[in-house]
Amino acid sequence: MDSAVRYMRQIADCRIIDISRSGLAIELHTAFHASAGSTIVIENDEIGLLEGLVRWNRGGRMGIQFRQNSNSIAKVAAYFRNFHQEVRPVLKR
């Protein structure tokens, strides 16, 4: 999912590479400086605006935990209910 991330006056294009009910991981397309504990906003066409806290930022990827006092959790729950499709392995052991 193509998205954008905002922190203070910085805006960067990114791609959501993993999402769960408590947070997500993004891959950044450009340099983006936000340290752990920083509050950021993710803009996504399917989900909307998501607020979260940076948990880690390294190697062009960032882990974000959703803010518990925002409506981000409700938006992600709606995403899982309406859009998300579980990826199942092709090969069986």
Side-chain angles (χ1 to χ4, degrees), residues 20-72:
S20 70
R21 296 194 190 309
S22 61
L24 53 83
I26 60 173
E27 182 176 62
L28 298 158
H29 297 302
T30 59
F32 190 78
H33 305 286
S35 59
S38 301
T39 300
I40 56 112
V41 175
I42 303 282
E43 298 175 28
N44 180 275
D45 290 338
E46 292 178 6
I47 302 173
L49 294 176
L50 301 169
E51 293 181 22
L53 297 174
V54 175
R55 288 294 168 215
W56 52 267
N57 183 359
R58 61 182 170 272
R61 293 188 172 185
M62 184 181 293
I64 296 132
Q65 178 183 5
F66 297 129
R67 299 219 19 193
Q68 297 298 317
N69 61 353
S70 72
N71 64 358
S72 298

